[in-house]
Amino acid sequence: MYPIRTINFNIENKEMSPIKIGVITVSDRASAGVYEDISGKAIISTLHEYLTSSWEEVYTIIPDEQEIIEQTIIDMVDEQHCCLVVTTGGTGPAKRDVTPEATEAVCDRMMPGFGELMRAESLKYVPTAILSRQTAGLRKESLIVNLPGKPKSIRECLDAVFPAIPYCIDLMGGPYLECDMAVIQPFRPKSK
């Protein structure tokens, strides 16, 4: 038996729609131009290493405001049709760190295993990983994953959780994400 591959067609133009992945950097200072966003760019770079499927990013930088985070996730899922939305920043214990709350507010169901695995992975490197509140959830046919803000931690966390992401998207009826097996090996159960 072969895996089912969902192909998105633009009915009006009869063309294939590209796979879209949302990347949201949540940072007051980066959104104000105080410093360059390297975290969001690190996510995009890592995903380009992982994926061999043709895809395009929907990328934005926003401040640490819960309502703005919520509306941005909603737009990326409902309007932009991203099958995956990855956020960076706003997952710590500071008062303005509200990304997990915004994610939970817009998700239909939460996927706590993602946060548990990311914290376990980060604890191998720093004891302060227990302060992180990363999480993940599902909205419609999309997966939203909150990552930490530091590029090194982003890669560590993505390396840990990404093997489960393509199959999660398969189960939700999303596009089939193909990966460079020399870089990352997604898990998909073998059919009988």
Side-chain angles (χ1 to χ4, degrees):
M1 198 157 184
Y2 296 96
I4 297 171
R5 297 180 188 214
T6 303
I7 299 174
N8 298 322
F9 287 95
N10 180 328
I11 295 171
E12 194 172 297
N13 295 327
K14 306 275 193 248
E15 296 175 7
M16 274 183 54
S17 298
I19 295 170
K20 290 185 180 180
I21 297 176
V23 177
I24 304 170
T25 297
V26 180
S27 168
D28 288 332
R29 290 179 288 172
S31 67
V34 174
Y35 59 72
E36 181 185 2
D37 171 38
I38 56 173
S39 300
K41 291 176 183 174
I43 293 170
I44 293 167
S45 175
T46 299
L47 293 176
H48 277 294
E49 287 181 46
Y50 289 170
L51 295 169
T52 57
S53 296
S54 177
W55 67 282
E56 66 181 41
E57 73 264 7
V58 179
Y59 167 67
T60 191
I61 307 168
I62 59 174
D64 290 277
E65 296 287 346
Q66 184 167 341
E67 187 175 333
I68 295 171
I69 300 166
E70 290 175 16
Q71 288 306 311
T72 304
I73 293 170
I74 290 168
D75 177 68
M76 286 192 175
V77 172
D78 297 9
E79 304 302 324
Q80 302 295 325
H81 306 290
C82 296
C83 64
L84 172 65
V85 176
V86 184
T87 72
T88 176
T91 60
K95 286 184 180 180
R96 292 196 50 81
D97 289 338
V98 294
T99 303
E101 287 79 10
T103 299
E104 190 166 349
V106 300
C107 283
D108 305 316
R109 295 175 289 162
M110 297 306 293
M111 301 289 288
F114 282 89
E116 293 163 6
L117 179 56
M118 286 188 276
R119 278 183 289 283
E121 184 64 23
S122 295
L123 276 168
K124 295 176 184 175
Y125 305 99
V126 293
T128 54
I130 60 171
L131 301 177
S132 182
R133 300 181 308 113
Q134 294 110 283
T135 192
L138 308 175
R139 179 180 175 85
K140 298 184 177 182
E141 291 85 35
S142 300
L143 173 65
I144 296 98
V145 180
N146 300 153
L147 295 176
K150 295 190 186 332
K152 182 177 181 293
S153 300
I154 286 169
R155 184 60 185 246
E156 293 163 358
C157 288
L158 271 177
D159 282 349
V161 300
F162 197 85
I165 288 177
Y167 185 52
C168 181
I169 291 171
D170 290 350
L171 291 172
M172 294 186 301
Y176 190 88
L177 298 180
E178 295 187 36
C179 299
D180 182 340
M181 298 297 275
V183 178
I184 196 86
Q185 294 188 10
F187 172 79
R188 286 186 168 105
K190 294 183 176 148
S191 14
K192 295 182 181 185

